[in-house]
Amino acid sequence: MTSSETTATIEGLSRPVPVQLFVGGTWQPAGGGATFEVRDPADASVLARVADATADDARAAMDAAAAAAPAWAATAPRERGEILRRTFEAMTGPRADDLALLMVRENGKTLTDARGELTYAAEFFRWFSEEAVRIDGDYRVAPAGGTRTVVVRQPVGISLAITPWNFPAAMLTRKLGPAFAAGCPVVVKPASETPLTALLLAELLAEAGLPDGVLSVLPTTSAKDVAGTAMADPRLRKVSFTGSTEVGRGLLKQAADQVLVSSMELGGNAPFIVCADADLDAAVEGAMVAKLRNGGEACTAANRFYVEDAVADEFARRLADRMGTLTLGRGDDEGVGLGPLVNEDTVGKVERIVKETVEAGARVVIGGERPEGPGYFYPPTVLVDVPAGSPATEEEIFGPVAPIVRFGSDEEVLALANGTEFGLVSYVFTGDLARGLRLAEALESGMVGLNRGVVSDPAAPFGGVKQSGIGREGGHEGLAEYLQTKYISFPL
Ligand code: ADP
């Protein structure tokens, strides 16, 4: 399909949104002239037709990045930081409502979730605007005297960012923020479900003074071709990916060909542990956030609830009561607490997981039936008596389904929680801080929410262990991922 439109008018937004590729500082159609449709998950209607990038466009983006790279690396850190800061101001000021509503439209999330994501996303630009001017080095005296070593940190070089659809703004800003702070150009391949947010962010960055070529955005339905072309280009030095473990494994294999610096934020299967001594009200509130932020479509989503015997029935009852009050509907409709899932595949997977888990012996407390009608809706669902090893505890659900499993001892729950290839985040609720810290230290995950249902913070080093990923995003560590170390040795 082709289209000559340069922007799309989206209901409720103050300005039309760009729908073309952003390459070398200009908006342009895809090389082949093709476009693809972006749909609203609330009713499957077409929101916009977006340029469908090809391998040639990826080459053009690499050319633009290569042309921009030396001057960008040499740009004063303060100036790089100011561009991020100005974009932060636009995201949280005049364009905040547009961005939030755009995410509701293309992702389906509720307006509350979209506003929360926007704040989080913008904070990455503020944080890294402040980090840009703190890139340090050092001066060392050799143990034997004489020789001096000057250690400098330089931008790693042209980076490819591949982002998912669940947090269309934040998953991008947490790559662009540190990359730009460090002085790296970036070629972005956003998810084809949600390219509009990435294109609007590119517009804001350009308006904030980002030099031409430093950022390219290539929406495409040919992810493999476009990403593969960039990754085969000897000028690329880094790939940063957020998405499924399966795709991440493939990208790591490709990255090996050119020994690319690789950051991978992959799947999760977060355990949510409630001890009998926990404040149950706080645990239920934490569970609501950990389970239902973004409708459960988050790699940090609580995937398996382990509740100590003495409080298991009470916790299940209270969680079902709270989840049952949520109204399912279009993300920006008044009173809606849960929006649609992003597409048919995602809702189909949730449906299958629930069906198979019930067949394995679980009992449905609330939900469990996909409603009739258009859109990709799935209701809040609580399952109890979930047998070990069933799909709901083994697979990443990515939907509003809470499977509850009982446990009797800390040893038992640690074995259950750690019995997975994933290791992104875990949650623990207990009234005994020492017990909480012991569990937190023993849990095999990169992050632990202790008496909290959310851990994300631009100033913290987000990331996983085991097959949940490599590298960290946010914090000081996030910037280090885009810097390489060089030393200059000289006699004195
Ligand atoms: P999800 O289940 O969240 O869609 P994916 O891992 O499939 O997770 O997708 C995350 C991102 O990776 C998206 O931008 C998608 O287009 C991209 N992607 C998927 N397959 C490939 C591939 N073979 N090469 C490069 N990017 C890919």
Side-chain angles (χ1 to χ4, degrees):
M1 193 183 305
T2 59
S3 160
S4 55
E5 282 157 21
T6 59
T7 58
T9 299
I10 310 277
E11 185 199 331
L13 268 67
S14 70
R15 278 205 248 159
V17 180
V19 293
Q20 294 186 300
L21 312 183
F22 185 64
V23 178
T26 61
W27 298 98
Q28 49 189 258
T35 58
F36 65 96
E37 291 170 344
V38 176
R39 289 177 185 270
D40 181 339
D43 56 12
S45 62
V46 176
L47 270 184
R49 289 189 174 74
V50 174
D52 194 352
T54 62
D56 282 344
D57 296 314
R59 278 182 212 102
M62 287 300 299
D63 290 346
W72 183 234
T75 298
R78 175 70 76 200
E79 175 53 19
R80 297 199 302 262
E82 291 295 321
I83 292 166
L84 291 173
R85 176 74 200 199
R86 285 195 289 272
T87 313
F88 161 79
E89 305 284 352
M91 289 172 75
T92 51
R95 302 306 300 278
D97 287 348
D98 281 355
L99 272 165
L101 211 50
L102 185 57
M103 286 194 276
V104 172
R105 293 275 176 270
E106 66 173 354
N107 168 277
K109 63 181 67 191
T110 63
L111 192 54
T112 307
D113 276 340
R115 291 214 169 100
E117 177 181 350
L118 182 61
T119 305
Y120 178 49
E123 280 300 326
F124 281 104
F125 281 177
R126 175 152 71 169
W127 171 262
F128 286 107
S129 75
E130 293 158 350
E131 287 288 284
V133 292
R134 313 214 193 292
I135 298 170
D136 59 6
D138 58 84
Y139 182 94
R140 302 178 192 177
V141 179
T147 308
R148 299 292 187 269
T149 303
V150 176
V151 180
V152 293
R153 317 228 185 263
Q154 297 182 315
V156 73
I158 303 172
S159 304
L160 172 67
I162 303 175
T163 54
W165 46 259
N166 58 346
F167 293 96
M171 297 304 99
L172 187 54
T173 58
R174 75 174 173 190
K175 300 186 192 304
L176 295 182
F180 293 161
C184 301
V186 185
V187 175
V188 173
K189 205 238 46 89
S192 55
E193 292 84 352
T194 57
L196 298 169
T197 303
L199 294 169
L200 181 49
L201 283 174
E203 184 176 67
L204 299 187
L205 280 156
E207 285 170 6
L210 192 74
D212 295 349
V214 170
L215 171 65
S216 290
V217 181
L218 304 175
T220 183
T221 53
S222 314
K224 208 170 166 183
D225 263 11
V226 166
T229 301
M231 289 177 76
D233 190 313
R235 296 169 296 185
L236 192 78
R237 287 313 325 140
K238 177 177 170 91
V239 58
S240 177
F241 170 74
T242 300
S244 61
T245 296
E246 190 188 349
V247 172
R249 278 190 204 108
L251 290 171
L252 278 170
K253 286 181 188 148
Q254 274 175 267
D257 286 344
Q258 291 218 78
V259 195
L260 296 176
V261 176
S262 303
S263 301
M264 297 280 141
E265 204 265 271
L266 307 177
N269 182 1
F272 188 105
I273 299 170
V274 183
C275 300
D277 55 19
D279 172 341
L280 270 203
D281 289 332
V284 170
E285 281 316 305
M288 290 298 289
V289 182
K291 181 70 256 179
L292 293 171
R293 190 167 68 118
N294 226 33
E297 293 173 310
C299 50
T300 52
N303 207 58
R304 313 168 274 159
F305 289 80
Y306 295 119
V307 188
E308 200 165 4
D309 277 327
V311 294
D313 294 337
E314 177 69 8
F315 177 82
R317 190 183 60 73
R318 288 205 212 174
L319 183 62
D321 283 353
R322 283 282 280 118
M323 282 175 65
T325 62
L326 294 178
T327 306
L328 201 57
R330 193 183 170 89
D332 59 329
D333 281 353
E334 193 68 30
V336 164
L338 187 63
L341 299 177
V342 75
N343 58 22
E344 184 57 41
D345 282 358
T346 306
V347 75
K349 180 181 174 191
V350 173
E351 218 180 354
R352 173 187 61 75
I353 288 176
V354 171
K355 185 168 165 283
E356 291 177 2
T357 304
V358 170
E359 282 166 6
R363 192 161 53 82
V364 177
V365 183
I366 55 160
E369 286 288 333
R370 186 175 173 181
E372 301 276 316
Y376 310 120
F377 292 97
Y378 199 88
T381 297
V382 175
L383 304 176
V384 292
D385 303 335
V386 176
S390 55
T393 58
E394 299 303 295
E395 297 183 45
E396 193 175 24
I397 303 169
F398 248 57
V401 177
I404 299 180
V405 178
R406 309 167 80 98
F407 75 89
S409 70
D410 288 7
E411 293 66 36
E412 184 194 355
V413 79
L414 281 172
L416 287 167
N418 289 338
T420 167
E421 72 199 27
F422 296 107
L424 189 63
V425 60
S426 310
Y427 303 92
V428 178
F429 277 75
T430 171
D432 176 345
L433 184 59
R435 182 183 185 188
L437 288 172
R438 272 195 302 276
L439 287 168
E441 287 189 14
L443 283 163
E444 295 169 358
S445 60
M447 303 171 284
V448 179
L450 181 51
N451 293 332
R452 283 203 76 192
V454 59
V455 294
S456 305
D457 178 345
F462 186 106
V465 299
K466 294 161 82 175
Q467 295 194 34
S468 284
I470 298 172
R472 293 294 178 266
E473 296 192 301
H476 311 300
E477 293 85 348
L479 182 61
E481 303 266 329
Y482 289 87
L483 293 168
Q484 58 195 352
T485 301
K486 173 188 280 180
Y487 72 82
I488 303 161
S489 173
F490 61 98
L492 200 69

